[in-house]
Amino acid sequence: MTIPTATPPDILRCAYMDIVVTDLAKSREFYVDILGLVVTEESDTEIYLRSFEEFIHHNLVLRQGPIAAVAAMAFRVRSPEDVDLAEAYYKELGCRTERRTEGFVTGIGDSVRVEDPLGFPYEFFYATTHVERLAWRYDLQGPGALVRLDHFNQVTPDVGRGRKYLEDLGFRVTEDIQDSDGVTYAAWMRRKDTVHDTALTGGNGPRMHHIAFSTHEKHNIIYICDKLGALRKSDLIERGPGRHGVSNAFYLYLRDPDGHRIEIYTQDYYTGDPDNPVVTWDVHDNQRRDWWGNPVVPSWYTDASLVLDLDGNPQPVIERTEPREMAVTVGADGFSYTRKDDALAGFKLGTTL
Amino acid sequence: MTIPTATPPDILRCAYMDIVVTDLAKSREFYVDILGLVVTEESDTEIYLRSFEEFIHHNLVLRQGPIAAVAAMAFRVRSPEDVDLAEAYYKELGCRTERRTEGFVTGIGDSVRVEDPLGFPYEFFYATTHVERLAWRYDLQGPGALVRLDHFNQVTPDVGRGRKYLEDLGFRVTEDIQDSDGVTYAAWMRRKDTVHDTALTGGNGPRMHHIAFSTHEKHNIIYICDKLGALRKSDLIERGPGRHGVSNAFYLYLRDPDGHRIEIYTQDYYTGDPDNPVVTWDVHDNQRRDWWGNPVVPSWYTDASLVLDLDGNPQPVIERTEPREMAVTVGADGFSYTRKDDALAGFKLGTTL
Amino acid sequence: MTIPTATPPDILRCAYMDIVVTDLAKSREFYVDILGLVVTEESDTEIYLRSFEEFIHHNLVLRQGPIAAVAAMAFRVRSPEDVDLAEAYYKELGCRTERRTEGFVTGIGDSVRVEDPLGFPYEFFYATTHVERLAWRYDLQGPGALVRLDHFNQVTPDVGRGRKYLEDLGFRVTEDIQDSDGVTYAAWMRRKDTVHDTALTGGNGPRMHHIAFSTHEKHNIIYICDKLGALRKSDLIERGPGRHGVSNAFYLYLRDPDGHRIEIYTQDYYTGDPDNPVVTWDVHDNQRRDWWGNPVVPSWYTDASLVLDLDGNPQPVIERTEPREMAVTVGADGFSYTRKDDALAGFKLGTTL
Amino acid sequence: MTIPTATPPDILRCAYMDIVVTDLAKSREFYVDILGLVVTEESDTEIYLRSFEEFIHHNLVLRQGPIAAVAAMAFRVRSPEDVDLAEAYYKELGCRTERRTEGFVTGIGDSVRVEDPLGFPYEFFYATTHVERLAWRYDLQGPGALVRLDHFNQVTPDVGRGRKYLEDLGFRVTEDIQDSDGVTYAAWMRRKDTVHDTALTGGNGPRMHHIAFSTHEKHNIIYICDKLGALRKSDLIERGPGRHGVSNAFYLYLRDPDGHRIEIYTQDYYTGDPDNPVVTWDVHDNQRRDWWGNPVVPSWYTDASLVLDLDGNPQPVIERTEPREMAVTVGADGFSYTRKDDALAGFKLGTTL
C-alpha cells in the first residue's frame, strides 16, 4: 500500500451504516420498537432510521437481504467536491470504486462507494436530505433515547496497516492497545471531536464489529437493559453495561436478530486539538476493556458481521496472524493484571476470566 | 424448634453489624477512604461508622481481631421493653442469651445478644446515642454517598426452617426463589417498608453473606466502580453492577480486605401493607438474580463470612443438604432459561454461565 | 376538640385521592398522556389511576363533576377491623361519618368516610382489589415514570390544632416550620416510613394543597419538565424543579387543567423510628422551602382546591388568623435570610422575592 | 468595519479566560473548594485552574487585582502559524495588538492579544504546556465535577455587527434570538462541534456575560446547588437550574465573589457539519431562555463584567440602542407567550414574570 499523492477528502464524521438483515420485521422490532430509533421513512425492503439529534436523512439503513452483512459504512465529507477527492484518492490507491450521482440509497445524493484497501465498503457523500432534528422533542424520546450516531468499529487482521491507511486518509489516533513487543491489538481513530469515528479491532477480517449510538446519560443505557429484561429478551445483551478503560465511555453491547452488534455509548471526551494526547493501553491491563475489570465475553472477541463488496458478495475473511487479544489475556496461556506488579491474580482474574 | 408462646419483640429494622477485621487500618481505608462511610468515633481497636441519613450512633462496627467474622447482627426494637421481650423470647426458644444494660458497644445502651436457632449472633436494642443526621450535608457527601443501611443477608442450610423462625419473630416474606419441587433457595424478609431487613440464602451456614448500604441513585453506584478503577482496586468488585430480578433494586457487590461482602443497593419498592404480594421466582429463571441475565460469579454463591458465638468463637458451619442454586442453574447439570419455553439456550446462557 | 378515648385506627399510609374534575377528557390527557399514570379502569365519568409500583386498585380517582374539588382523601388501614375503629373514633369526635360496606368507589371495599374536625373528607379502608404491580414492567415505564403515591398536603387555618388532631390519630410529626413567637406555619406528618403521608399548610381552609407522586430519580422529574416544554405546556409548571429544605426531597409542582396541584417528588429519608428527630425550620430561613433559595411563586401560597362534604357540597373556607408565611417572608413587610446573621440581603433575596 | 483580506487564524476552540478578582483567597474558595476546579499551579497573585478532562495548562486564570474585570478571552488555534495569522488579521482590521513569544501567562507560549473591533481582549495561542488529563481520575472527581470548558458569552450593543465580525473570523452561527422586525437579541457561534465557543448577548458592552463549564450529567449540576445550600451560600445561585430552549442544554448560573458569572452546562448537540441547521427563536417565545418557562431574573439581563484593554484599563461601556430583550418580554410593555396564538397569558406569564 503506497501513500497516495492525491489529496484525501475532508471527512466530517461517520454518518450511517447500510446493513443487510434477513428478516426486516424482526429487525424493525429490535431497532424501532425496542431501541426507539426514529423512522425517517420505510418500504417493504428498507427502513431508514436516525437518532434524535440527527438532521441528515438517516444513520442506519436496514435492508432485507439473503445474508446478514454490511453493505456500506458511510462517512460524510465537508463539501460536494470532497466526493470527487474521495473517488480520485481511492482510484490512486488502486481500489475499485463506484460513483452514483443520484446516491446509492434514499436521502443521500452524489456518493462514491469503494472497496477499500482493508476490504471494507466505505462510502463518501455530502448531499443529503435534511430532516427534523428531534433534539427538543422530549415528548417522543423514551427513557433510553439514542441521540447520536457515535462510531463504527471494524475487525481487520493487521491493525498497524489499517491504522496507517486511515491516518493517510486524515484520521487521527486517540487511543490504542499494544503489548510490550509492539503488537497493536486495536486502535481508535477520529475525525469529529470525540474519541472515534471508527476503530480497528485486530481479528479475522474484514468484518464489522459494531455500530455505536449515544445516549445523553448513563441511566438511559441502564434503562435499555431493564427494558430488555421486561421483554424477556435479556439474552440480546452480550456485554455490559460497564465503563470502558479505552475512551472512558459508559457502554453496553447488544446483538440484533441477525447477530449484528450494536453498542450503546455515552460520555467520552473532547479530542479536537491536533496535539490531543494519545493513550496507549497495555493489552494485559485488565481495566483496558472494562475499567471495573469485569470479564469480556468470548463472543465479543470472536463474532463479527461479514461485509459486502460492491457487487453485494461477502468479502472473504482473512485470518489474523499476530497474537490475539483474547488468547494473550485470558486462560492458561494468557494473563491480565489489575495492578502491574501484583504477584497474585486475585479471585477476579483467576476465577472469572 | 417450637413456636414460642412469648410475645416477640417489635423489631423496627436492621440497625448495625459488628464485624471483626484482621487489619483495622486496611479496613478503614476501604470503608472510610473509598466508600466514604461517616466515622462517628474510633479508637485503636474499633471504628464506628454510619451512613449519611442515619441518626443512631452507627450502622457498622469494625473491630480489630484475630479472625475475620461477624460478632453481631443488631436490630433496633420499638421500645426499651422490647429488649425484655427479646430476651424472654429467645430464652423460651432455648437459646443462649446475654444481657448488658450498658450495651455491648459504644453508642448503644441496654441490649441483649443471643445465639439464635440458626446459629447467628443477633442483638436487640432500643437505647442509642443520637448523632447528627447528615442528610442535608451535601458538602460532605461524595459522588458515591451511602445514605442508609438497607439490609443483612445470611447463609443458612435450611431456608424453610429459617423462614419459619423469622416469621414467628415478626418478619414478613416479600420474595423468594423456589423450584417446582418446593425447594426454597432463598427468601427475603422485612420489618421496615422495604423488600428486606434480612434475607436467607441457602448454603453452608450459619455464615454472613453480605451487608447492604443504599445510595440515592444508580449513578452513585456506578461512581463507586469508577473510583475503584481509578484506584486500581477493581478486583474488589465481585459482581455487578446490575439490576436484581428479586427486589428490582440496582446492585453492586464488593469484597472488603477480609473478604466480607458489601452490597451497594438502590431503589426497591414499598412493602409495608400486610397483604403486600409475595413474589416467587423460579430458580431456573435466568433473570431472577440479574434481570439482564448476566452471570453470577461462583464466589458469590460459595463465599461468606463466619459468625461468632457469644464467647467470640466461630460457629461451626453445617452443610446444606438440599439442592444448591449454583448446581441446579449453571453448567452441565443445571439449566437456566430466559424465556420459559425456549428450546434453545442462546449464546448467553450456553457460553457464559 | 376533645381527645377521644376510643382507639384510633392503625393507619398504614395515604392510599388514594378522589377528585372532581370539570372536563374528564382534558384531565385524562394530563394524567395519562402527559404524566403517564397507569389506568386501572375507566368509564365515561370516572378514571382510576395508579402508580407503577402500586398493587392496590388505584391511587387517584378522577371523577367528572360540576366543580373542581376533592371528594375524599383516603388512607389505608392495617385490617378490616380498623375501619370499625375509624368509624367509632370519629363518631366519638362528633364528626359526621358514612359507612359503606361495598365501598364508595370501584376497587375499594368496606370503607368509612368522615367530615373530619378540620373539615376534610377523610376515608379509611382496608379491602381493595389487588392489581398487577408494574415495578418490573420497564417496557411500559416512560422516562418520567411515577412509581408511588407519596403524600397529601392540606391547607388549614390553625396548624397547631390540626397537628394535635393528627397526632391523636396516630400520625407523627417529622418536620415543621415555626417562627420565634411559636407560630407554626406548616407541619409534616407520617405513618409510613417517609417524611409524610400528609402535611398541614397554614392558610385559608379546609382546602387541598397538593397530592404527590414519586419518581425513582431526579432526572425523571427533569424529564417531565422537558416534555411539558416539548408539548408547549410549560405553563403547567407552577414551581420548581428544586430541592426542598423541609424533607430534603427533589420536587416539582404542576397544576392540572382544573388547577389541582400535583407534586412530583423523590428522595426524602427514613423516619420509621419512634425517636426520629424532628426538624424545625425558621420561617425566615430562605432555604426552608427551596434549599437553593429560589423564590416560591405567590400562587403556590394562595391557591388550593376546595374539598367536599359528604353530600358533595364544598366546605366553606375559613380564613387563617395567624400570620401568613408569604407575608412574613416576602416583600416590604417580610424578611428572609440565607445566613441567619447577615446584615445584607443580597441580590437574590432583595430582588427576586 | 471592513472585511479583512487576510486569512483568519484557524481557531480550534475557546480555551481559557484570564480574569481579575479582588480577593484571591475568596475566589479560590469559590472555584476550588466549592466548584472543585483543578489547580494546575498557583502563586500569591495568580491561580491556574483547569477542568478534569483538559490537557492544556489551564481553562481559567484568577489574577489578584484592583478591579473585577476580564483581562483576556483566549482561543486556541490549530498551529503556531495561526498566531501569526491572527496578528496580521487584527492589524489589518486596525486593531491594537500585542505579541509575546513567551506568552502572557504561565503555561501558554507564543500568543497575541488584541483589542478586537467590539472592544474585547481576545487572545490567540497554540503553544501550551500539557498537563495530566484527569478524565479517569474518578478518585479526584467530586459529585459536581466540571469536566470541560464549554464556552464564553459576551455582551455587546450591536449583535448584528458582532456576528458579522465573528463570522468573518471563522465562527458559524448555530442559534439566535430575533424579533419580527429583524432585531437580533443574541447569537450563538461555534468553532468546535458544540452549540458555541462564544455567544453574543445584546446589551451595554463590551462586557463579559459568563464563562461556562460542562459536567457529564444533569445530577452533577443539581449537586452543585445542593452543596451551595449546605454551605449556606445559596445566594450565589443567580438563575436555574433549568433547561435552555436555545442550545437544549441543562444549565445553572452562579455569581463568583466578585460578581463574575459562571454557567454550569451540560448536553447540547453536535453542530460540526457545515450545513448544520440554524435555529432562530422568537424573542417573545417564553421557552427560548428557559424551556420550562421559568422566569429569567433581571440581574441576568443587566449585570456583566467589565473587560480590560491591553493596558489593563476597563473598556468604556457603550449603551445598546436597539430594543432590549428584558424590556420587550417582561412587564407592562413587553410580552411573552407559551403558545404563539394564545389570547390568555396564564398565571405563569402574568404573575411571575
Side-chain angles (χ1 to χ4, degrees):
Chain A
M1 188 167 56
T2 53
I3 304 171
T5 57
T7 305
D10 187 352
I11 298 170
L12 292 169
R13 53 163 171 145
C14 63
Y16 79 89
M17 207 183 275
D18 182 357
I19 67 174
V20 181
V21 301
T22 60
D23 184 331
L24 193 61
K26 268 193 176 172
S27 295
R28 194 186 196 286
E29 185 197 6
F30 178 76
Y31 288 102
V32 180
D33 299 340
I34 298 178
L35 291 185
L37 282 169
V38 179
V39 179
T40 298
E41 57 185 289
E42 59 186 321
S43 70
D44 285 353
T45 55
E46 293 165 7
I47 305 177
Y48 293 85
L49 299 170
R50 71 182 193 275
S51 52
F52 279 95
E53 294 183 357
E54 189 55 81
F55 72 94
I56 67 170
H57 187 263
H58 57 259
N59 300 127
L60 185 65
V61 183
L62 306 178
R63 174 185 311 289
Q64 175 76 42
I67 205 177
V70 173
M73 303 170 77
F75 295 89
R76 194 167 193 219
V77 292
R78 188 169 296 279
S79 71
E81 294 69 37
D82 285 295
V83 181
D84 301 331
L85 290 180
E87 187 176 21
Y89 188 86
Y90 280 94
K91 281 191 167 155
E92 188 182 332
L93 277 176
C95 294
R96 179 177 171 195
T97 67
E98 184 177 347
R99 181 77 175 261
R100 291 201 195 163
T101 54
E102 76 286 10
F104 291 80
V105 298
T106 304
I108 306 291
D110 181 24
S111 324
V112 64
R113 284 191 175 182
V114 308
E115 293 174 6
D116 87 353
L118 309 181
F120 288 94
Y122 268 25
E123 173 181 304
F124 302 91
F125 74 95
Y126 171 77
T128 178
T129 308
H130 283 210
V131 291
E132 187 188 354
R133 175 175 259 159
L134 299 169
W136 289 264
R137 292 298 302 276
Y138 293 101
D139 53 325
L140 303 180
Q141 295 177 24
L146 304 181
V147 296
R148 306 188 196 178
L149 171 67
D150 192 83
H151 64 264
F152 304 148
N153 188 305
Q154 313 171 231
V155 187
T156 194
D158 184 340
V159 174
R161 176 172 174 254
R163 171 187 185 146
K164 177 70 175 57
Y165 150 62
L166 287 174
E167 284 178 333
D168 291 341
L169 189 57
F171 285 84
R172 289 292 159 260
V173 171
T174 55
E175 306 200 25
D176 62 9
I177 296 177
Q178 300 190 20
D179 65 20
S180 54
D181 297 330
V183 176
T184 300
Y185 293 85
W188 284 257
M189 317 201 65
R190 68 131 191 132
R191 287 293 308 175
K192 67 179 175 337
D193 293 350
T194 62
V195 169
H196 51 327
D197 285 279
T198 194
L200 299 177
T201 299
N204 304 343
R207 292 186 299 162
M208 189 275 287
H209 195 270
H210 64 263
I211 176 172
F213 289 92
S214 297
T215 63
H216 277 136
E217 302 202 333
K218 297 182 287 289
H219 63 79
N220 302 117
I221 293 183
I222 291 168
Y223 171 80
I224 293 171
C225 298
D226 288 337
K227 182 177 182 180
L228 286 166
L231 295 171
R232 285 282 159 185
K233 289 178 179 290
S234 63
D235 48 353
L236 297 179
I237 300 172
E238 184 186 34
R239 182 185 155 206
R243 168 79 65 188
H244 283 308
V246 175
S247 84
N248 202 27
F250 193 75
Y251 73 87
L252 171 71
Y253 292 99
L254 306 177
R255 299 293 289 272
D256 87 355
D258 282 295
H260 295 308
R261 187 180 288 106
I262 308 298
E263 182 177 12
I264 320 293
Y265 182 93
T266 194
Q267 293 163 20
D268 60 7
Y269 55 90
Y270 170 82
T271 60
D273 286 14
D275 56 344
N276 180 67
V278 176
V279 181
T280 290
W281 297 78
D282 180 354
V283 72
H284 298 293
D285 180 347
N286 194 43
Q287 295 188 180
R288 77 199 178 288
R289 289 281 184 191
D290 184 276
W291 186 242
W292 312 333
N294 282 336
V296 177
V297 61
S299 64
W300 190 90
Y301 281 122
T302 57
D303 296 3
S305 296
L306 293 174
V307 301
L308 302 181
D309 64 22
L310 295 185
D311 298 318
N313 298 317
Q315 289 278 15
V317 173
I318 296 159
E319 283 228 359
R320 174 171 168 92
T321 55
E322 288 182 303
R324 288 158 188 272
E325 186 170 341
M326 188 168 73
V328 302
T329 57
V330 184
D333 300 326
F335 74 96
S336 292
Y337 60 82
T338 300
R339 288 164 297 275
K340 191 152 194 179
D341 300 316
D342 266 19
L344 225 65
F347 78 91
K348 196 159 188 178
L349 297 170
T351 312
T352 71
L353 278 186
Chain B
M1 188 167 59
T2 53
I3 305 170
T5 57
T7 306
D10 187 351
I11 298 169
L12 292 168
R13 55 165 170 142
C14 64
Y16 80 89
M17 207 182 275
D18 181 356
I19 66 174
V20 181
V21 299
T22 60
D23 184 331
L24 193 61
K26 269 193 174 170
S27 295
R28 192 185 197 287
E29 185 198 5
F30 178 77
Y31 289 102
V32 180
D33 299 340
I34 298 178
L35 291 184
L37 283 169
V38 180
V39 179
T40 299
E41 57 184 290
E42 59 186 321
S43 70
D44 286 352
T45 55
E46 293 165 4
I47 305 177
Y48 293 85
L49 299 169
R50 71 183 192 275
S51 51
F52 278 95
E53 294 183 358
E54 187 56 81
F55 72 94
I56 67 170
H57 187 265
H58 57 260
N59 300 127
L60 185 64
V61 183
L62 306 177
R63 174 186 310 289
Q64 174 75 43
I67 206 176
V70 172
M73 304 171 78
F75 296 89
R76 194 168 192 218
V77 292
R78 188 168 297 278
S79 71
E81 294 69 38
D82 283 295
V83 181
D84 301 330
L85 290 181
E87 185 177 21
Y89 188 85
Y90 280 93
K91 281 191 166 153
E92 187 183 332
L93 277 176
C95 295
R96 180 178 168 194
T97 67
E98 184 176 346
R99 179 77 173 260
R100 290 200 195 165
T101 53
E102 76 287 9
F104 290 79
V105 298
T106 304
I108 306 292
D110 181 23
S111 324
V112 64
R113 285 191 173 181
V114 308
E115 292 172 7
D116 87 353
L118 309 181
F120 288 93
Y122 268 25
E123 175 182 302
F124 302 91
F125 73 95
Y126 171 76
T128 180
T129 308
H130 283 211
V131 290
E132 186 187 354
R133 173 175 260 158
L134 299 169
W136 289 264
R137 292 298 302 275
Y138 293 100
D139 53 325
L140 303 180
Q141 295 177 24
L146 304 180
V147 297
R148 304 188 196 178
L149 170 67
D150 192 84
H151 63 263
F152 305 148
N153 188 305
Q154 314 171 229
V155 187
T156 192
D158 184 341
V159 174
R161 176 174 175 254
R163 171 186 185 147
K164 176 70 174 58
Y165 149 61
L166 287 175
E167 285 179 332
D168 291 342
L169 189 58
F171 285 84
R172 288 293 159 261
V173 172
T174 55
E175 306 199 26
D176 62 10
I177 296 177
Q178 299 189 21
D179 66 19
S180 54
D181 298 329
V183 175
T184 300
Y185 294 84
W188 284 256
M189 318 202 65
R190 70 132 191 131
R191 287 292 307 174
K192 66 179 174 339
D193 293 351
T194 62
V195 169
H196 50 326
D197 285 279
T198 195
L200 299 177
T201 299
N204 304 343
R207 292 186 299 163
M208 189 275 286
H209 194 270
H210 64 263
I211 177 172
F213 290 91
S214 297
T215 62
H216 277 136
E217 302 201 334
K218 297 182 286 290
H219 63 79
N220 302 117
I221 292 182
I222 290 167
Y223 171 80
I224 293 171
C225 298
D226 288 337
K227 182 176 182 181
L228 287 166
L231 296 171
R232 285 283 158 185
K233 287 178 180 291
S234 64
D235 49 351
L236 297 179
I237 299 172
E238 185 186 32
R239 182 186 155 205
R243 168 78 65 189
H244 283 307
V246 174
S247 82
N248 201 27
F250 193 75
Y251 73 86
L252 171 71
Y253 292 98
L254 306 176
R255 300 292 290 272
D256 87 357
D258 283 294
H260 295 307
R261 186 180 290 107
I262 308 298
E263 182 178 12
I264 320 292
Y265 181 95
T266 193
Q267 293 164 21
D268 59 7
Y269 55 89
Y270 169 82
T271 60
D273 286 15
D275 55 343
N276 179 69
V278 176
V279 181
T280 291
W281 298 77
D282 180 355
V283 72
H284 298 292
D285 179 347
N286 194 42
Q287 294 187 182
R288 76 199 181 287
R289 290 281 184 190
D290 184 275
W291 186 242
W292 312 334
N294 282 336
V296 177
V297 62
S299 64
W300 190 90
Y301 282 122
T302 57
D303 295 2
S305 297
L306 293 174
V307 301
L308 302 180
D309 65 20
L310 295 185
D311 299 317
N313 299 316
Q315 288 278 14
V317 172
I318 295 158
E319 284 228 359
R320 173 170 169 93
T321 56
E322 288 182 302
R324 287 156 189 272
E325 185 169 341
M326 187 168 73
V328 302
T329 58
V330 184
D333 302 326
F335 73 97
S336 292
Y337 60 82
T338 301
R339 288 165 296 276
K340 191 152 193 179
D341 301 315
D342 266 18
L344 226 64
F347 78 93
K348 195 157 188 178
L349 297 171
T351 312
T352 69
L353 278 187
Chain C
M1 187 168 57
T2 53
I3 305 169
T5 57
T7 305
D10 187 352
I11 298 169
L12 292 169
R13 54 165 170 143
C14 63
Y16 79 90
M17 207 182 276
D18 182 356
I19 66 174
V20 182
V21 299
T22 60
D23 184 332
L24 194 61
K26 269 193 174 171
S27 295
R28 193 186 197 286
E29 185 197 6
F30 178 77
Y31 288 101
V32 180
D33 299 341
I34 298 178
L35 291 185
L37 283 169
V38 180
V39 179
T40 298
E41 57 185 289
E42 59 187 321
S43 71
D44 286 352
T45 55
E46 293 165 7
I47 305 177
Y48 293 84
L49 300 169
R50 71 183 193 275
S51 53
F52 278 95
E53 294 183 358
E54 188 55 81
F55 71 94
I56 67 171
H57 187 264
H58 56 260
N59 299 127
L60 184 65
V61 183
L62 306 177
R63 174 185 311 288
Q64 174 76 44
I67 205 176
V70 173
M73 305 172 76
F75 296 88
R76 193 166 194 220
V77 294
R78 187 168 299 279
S79 71
E81 294 70 37
D82 285 294
V83 181
D84 301 330
L85 290 180
E87 186 176 21
Y89 188 86
Y90 280 93
K91 281 191 166 153
E92 187 183 333
L93 277 176
C95 295
R96 180 177 169 195
T97 68
E98 183 177 346
R99 180 77 173 261
R100 291 200 195 164
T101 54
E102 76 287 10
F104 290 80
V105 298
T106 304
I108 305 292
D110 181 24
S111 323
V112 63
R113 286 190 173 182
V114 308
E115 292 172 6
D116 88 353
L118 309 181
F120 287 95
Y122 268 23
E123 174 182 303
F124 302 90
F125 73 95
Y126 171 76
T128 179
T129 307
H130 283 210
V131 291
E132 187 187 355
R133 173 175 261 158
L134 299 169
W136 288 264
R137 292 298 302 276
Y138 293 100
D139 53 326
L140 302 180
Q141 296 177 23
L146 304 181
V147 297
R148 305 187 196 179
L149 170 67
D150 192 84
H151 63 263
F152 305 148
N153 187 306
Q154 314 171 231
V155 187
T156 194
D158 184 341
V159 175
R161 175 172 174 256
R163 171 186 186 147
K164 176 70 174 57
Y165 149 61
L166 287 174
E167 284 179 332
D168 291 342
L169 190 58
F171 286 84
R172 289 293 159 258
V173 172
T174 56
E175 306 199 26
D176 62 10
I177 295 177
Q178 299 190 21
D179 65 19
S180 54
D181 297 330
V183 175
T184 299
Y185 293 83
W188 285 257
M189 318 202 63
R190 68 128 192 135
R191 286 292 307 173
K192 67 179 174 337
D193 294 350
T194 62
V195 169
H196 51 324
D197 286 279
T198 195
L200 299 177
T201 298
N204 304 343
R207 292 186 299 162
M208 189 276 287
H209 194 270
H210 65 263
I211 177 171
F213 289 91
S214 298
T215 63
H216 277 136
E217 302 201 334
K218 296 182 287 289
H219 62 80
N220 302 117
I221 292 182
I222 291 168
Y223 171 81
I224 293 171
C225 298
D226 289 337
K227 183 177 182 180
L228 287 166
L231 296 171
R232 285 283 158 183
K233 288 178 180 290
S234 63
D235 49 351
L236 297 180
I237 300 172
E238 184 186 34
R239 181 185 156 206
R243 169 78 66 189
H244 283 307
V246 174
S247 83
N248 201 27
F250 193 75
Y251 72 87
L252 171 71
Y253 292 97
L254 306 176
R255 301 291 290 272
D256 86 357
D258 283 294
H260 296 307
R261 187 179 289 106
I262 308 297
E263 183 178 12
I264 319 293
Y265 181 94
T266 193
Q267 294 164 21
D268 59 7
Y269 55 89
Y270 169 82
T271 60
D273 286 14
D275 55 345
N276 179 68
V278 176
V279 181
T280 291
W281 297 78
D282 180 355
V283 73
H284 298 291
D285 180 347
N286 193 44
Q287 296 187 182
R288 75 199 182 287
R289 290 281 184 191
D290 184 275
W291 186 242
W292 312 333
N294 282 336
V296 177
V297 62
S299 64
W300 190 91
Y301 281 122
T302 58
D303 296 2
S305 297
L306 294 173
V307 301
L308 302 181
D309 65 21
L310 295 186
D311 299 317
N313 299 316
Q315 288 279 13
V317 173
I318 296 158
E319 283 227 1
R320 173 170 169 92
T321 55
E322 287 181 303
R324 286 156 189 273
E325 186 170 341
M326 188 167 74
V328 302
T329 57
V330 184
D333 301 326
F335 73 97
S336 292
Y337 60 82
T338 301
R339 289 164 297 277
K340 190 151 193 180
D341 300 317
D342 266 19
L344 226 64
F347 78 92
K348 195 157 188 178
L349 297 171
T351 312
T352 70
L353 279 186
Chain D
M1 188 167 56
T2 53
I3 303 170
T5 58
T7 306
D10 187 352
I11 298 170
L12 292 169
R13 54 164 170 144
C14 62
Y16 79 89
M17 206 182 276
D18 182 356
I19 66 174
V20 181
V21 300
T22 59
D23 184 332
L24 194 61
K26 269 193 174 170
S27 294
R28 192 187 198 286
E29 185 197 5
F30 178 76
Y31 288 101
V32 179
D33 298 341
I34 296 178
L35 291 184
L37 283 169
V38 179
V39 179
T40 298
E41 57 184 289
E42 59 187 321
S43 70
D44 285 353
T45 55
E46 294 165 4
I47 305 177
Y48 293 85
L49 299 170
R50 72 183 192 275
S51 53
F52 278 95
E53 294 183 358
E54 188 55 81
F55 72 94
I56 66 170
H57 187 263
H58 56 258
N59 300 127
L60 185 64
V61 183
L62 305 178
R63 174 185 311 290
Q64 175 75 43
I67 206 176
V70 173
M73 303 171 77
F75 295 89
R76 194 166 193 219
V77 292
R78 188 169 297 278
S79 71
E81 294 69 38
D82 285 296
V83 181
D84 301 331
L85 290 180
E87 187 177 20
Y89 188 85
Y90 280 93
K91 280 191 168 156
E92 187 182 332
L93 277 176
C95 295
R96 180 176 171 196
T97 67
E98 182 177 349
R99 181 77 173 263
R100 290 200 195 164
T101 53
E102 76 286 10
F104 291 79
V105 299
T106 304
I108 305 293
D110 181 24
S111 325
V112 64
R113 285 192 174 180
V114 308
E115 292 174 6
D116 85 355
L118 308 181
F120 288 94
Y122 269 25
E123 175 182 303
F124 301 91
F125 73 95
Y126 171 76
T128 178
T129 307
H130 282 209
V131 291
E132 187 187 352
R133 174 175 260 158
L134 299 169
W136 289 264
R137 291 299 302 275
Y138 293 99
D139 52 324
L140 302 180
Q141 295 177 23
L146 304 181
V147 297
R148 305 187 197 179
L149 171 67
D150 193 84
H151 63 264
F152 305 147
N153 188 306
Q154 312 171 232
V155 186
T156 193
D158 183 340
V159 174
R161 175 173 176 253
R163 173 185 183 148
K164 177 70 174 56
Y165 150 61
L166 287 174
E167 284 177 333
D168 290 341
L169 189 58
F171 285 83
R172 289 292 160 260
V173 171
T174 55
E175 306 199 26
D176 61 10
I177 295 177
Q178 300 189 21
D179 65 20
S180 54
D181 298 329
V183 176
T184 300
Y185 293 85
W188 283 256
M189 317 202 64
R190 68 127 192 138
R191 287 292 307 175
K192 67 179 176 336
D193 294 351
T194 62
V195 169
H196 51 327
D197 286 278
T198 194
L200 298 178
T201 298
N204 305 343
R207 292 185 300 162
M208 189 277 287
H209 194 270
H210 64 263
I211 177 172
F213 289 92
S214 298
T215 63
H216 277 135
E217 303 202 332
K218 297 183 286 291
H219 62 79
N220 302 117
I221 292 182
I222 292 168
Y223 171 80
I224 293 171
C225 299
D226 288 337
K227 183 177 181 179
L228 286 166
L231 295 171
R232 285 283 158 185
K233 288 179 180 291
S234 63
D235 47 353
L236 298 180
I237 300 171
E238 185 187 33
R239 181 184 156 206
R243 168 78 66 189
H244 282 308
V246 174
S247 83
N248 202 26
F250 192 75
Y251 72 87
L252 172 71
Y253 293 98
L254 305 177
R255 299 293 289 273
D256 88 355
D258 282 295
H260 295 308
R261 186 179 289 105
I262 307 298
E263 182 177 13
I264 319 293
Y265 182 94
T266 194
Q267 292 161 22
D268 60 7
Y269 55 89
Y270 169 82
T271 60
D273 287 14
D275 56 344
N276 179 69
V278 176
V279 181
T280 290
W281 297 78
D282 180 353
V283 72
H284 299 292
D285 179 347
N286 194 42
Q287 294 188 181
R288 77 200 178 288
R289 291 280 184 191
D290 185 275
W291 187 241
W292 311 334
N294 281 336
V296 176
V297 62
S299 64
W300 190 91
Y301 281 121
T302 57
D303 296 2
S305 296
L306 294 173
V307 300
L308 302 181
D309 64 21
L310 295 185
D311 299 317
N313 298 317
Q315 289 279 14
V317 174
I318 296 159
E319 283 227 2
R320 174 171 169 91
T321 56
E322 289 182 302
R324 288 156 189 272
E325 185 170 342
M326 188 167 74
V328 302
T329 57
V330 185
D333 301 325
F335 74 96
S336 292
Y337 59 82
T338 301
R339 289 165 297 275
K340 190 151 193 180
D341 301 316
D342 265 19
L344 225 65
F347 77 92
K348 197 160 187 177
L349 296 170
T351 312
T352 72
L353 277 186

